[in-house]
Amino acid sequence: MKISKTTQVLGGIAAAGLAFGLSGCGQAPEESGGEASADVVEGFKPCMVSDEGGFDDRSFNQLGFEGLTKAADELGIEYTQTESQNSSDYAGNLDGLVSEGCTFIVSVGFMLSAPTVESANANPDVEYAIIDDWADNDQDGETDAPNIKPLVFDTAQAAFLGGYAAASYSESGVVGTFGGAKIPPVTIFMDGFAKGVDYYNEEKGEDVRVTGWNVDSQDGQFTDEFAANDVAKQMAQGLIDQDADVLLPVGGPIYQSAAEAIRDSGGDVALMGVDADVYESDPNVADLLLVSIQKSMDQAVYDAVMMAATGDSDTEAYVGTLENEGVGLSSFHDFEDKIDADLQAELDDIRAGIIDGSIDAESVSSP
């Protein structure tokens, strides 16, 4: 499979073997399922391995897992999932799933790229899919194993809409963002967000400022781990101290720490979600949520599992965009009566412009 030049950046960083300093080990695989339908390939068993965020992160991993369970339930088949506590678990967890008899394995996240490629090459009869990565660790423009299907998303398109909405909502004229790790699946959100703010300023003659990320230098603020902890809370508080009244935390559960900082600040600060519609996935922060920048990982995983189950799978990359509804914005939910009356119509026009190419929402990390 050929890969665009831009996406080769992904494999290079994955090959560097970024690791996070959390303790613990991977959990033993868990199984579930029922009686298979007649159309399922004999012996088909889908499985999934999480990144360190775990399947209860109410965001990234959870969304992918929902796609697996939906497919398995509809097909009436058994599935297995295993959680990773840190990066050192990835290879062992993949080996464990192969030993469990898994025939289709989904790796959740960019950080599993190198271990997934290694496992796929060692087990050519097993099919793999990986979320947020092209599995091109040698950066030659080709997926590194013929049995891996990349599931990637041009999240910058949806984040552009989110940045425009944040700028429209902001009263302080400052909006902030920070990430869990400086990797393309995170910075693509931040690029789109900042470009959306810039577009708002151009269209409205305003000067809303983004703190926490600079598109030109590709540098900003990161916690260096995907965990809800004091580091994430302090980073969010630092943005609030700079007068940011909208926060976009990018990195699974770090939004939970941002929500704590918002509540502790006592100010009128709005939160933005990523990946899932966090208003729905985590009611504990629903009252803070302006909007969520979504990517349909659940649907992509569901489709990939359903195709593999009937023997119709392929390794052609899936790329989620605004046009195919692989990415998008959630509803404004409780903020519907707080946003500008014309905002939704403006967003609809911008969405159309991004789709037809008249508006540039591309990130350096776009597929």
Side-chain angles (χ1 to χ4, degrees), residues 296-364:
S296 300
M297 296 184 298
D298 52 346
Q299 188 64 47
V301 170
Y302 169 84
D303 290 343
V305 173
M306 296 297 282
M307 291 175 64
T310 56
D312 294 327
S313 62
D314 59 54
T315 55
E316 187 69 26
Y318 166 82
V319 180
T321 64
L322 286 176
E323 186 171 15
N324 64 19
E325 299 184 346
V327 299
L329 280 190
S330 72
S331 158
F332 287 95
H333 297 295
D334 294 348
F335 279 71
E336 289 283 1
D337 60 353
K338 301 178 183 179
I339 61 174
D340 188 273
D342 297 326
L343 177 59
Q344 189 58 62
E346 293 171 6
L347 291 174
D348 292 342
D349 288 342
I350 295 168
R351 180 181 183 276
I354 293 172
I355 290 172
D356 69 25
S358 61
I359 296 176
D360 176 20
E362 188 174 359
S363 160
V364 296

Side-chain angles (χ1 to χ4, degrees), residues 1-13 15 113 117 121 133-146 148 150:
M1 179 194 314
K2 296 301 292 183
I3 299 172
S4 67
K5 182 178 179 181
T6 301
T7 61
Q8 294 178 26
V9 176
L10 304 180
I13 298 179
S113 182
V117 167
N121 281 320
D133 189 70
W134 293 85
D136 179 27
N137 296 304
D138 60 9
Q139 302 181 64
D140 67 351
E142 300 278 351
T143 299
D144 293 343
I148 299 178

Side-chain angles (χ1 to χ4, degrees), residues 175-179 190 210-214 219-222 239 242:
V175 297
T177 182
F178 68 102
M190 301 164 86
V210 177
T211 185
W213 180 246
N214 184 288
D219 198 19
Q221 297 187 27
F222 300 91
L239 297 174
Q242 295 176 61

Side-chain angles (χ1 to χ4, degrees), residues 19-25 52-53 84-88 225-227 229:
F20 300 113
L22 300 181
S23 61
C25 58
E52 65 176 17
S84 305
Q85 301 301 312
N86 56 53
S87 59
S88 64
E225 54 187 351
F226 296 109
N229 56 26

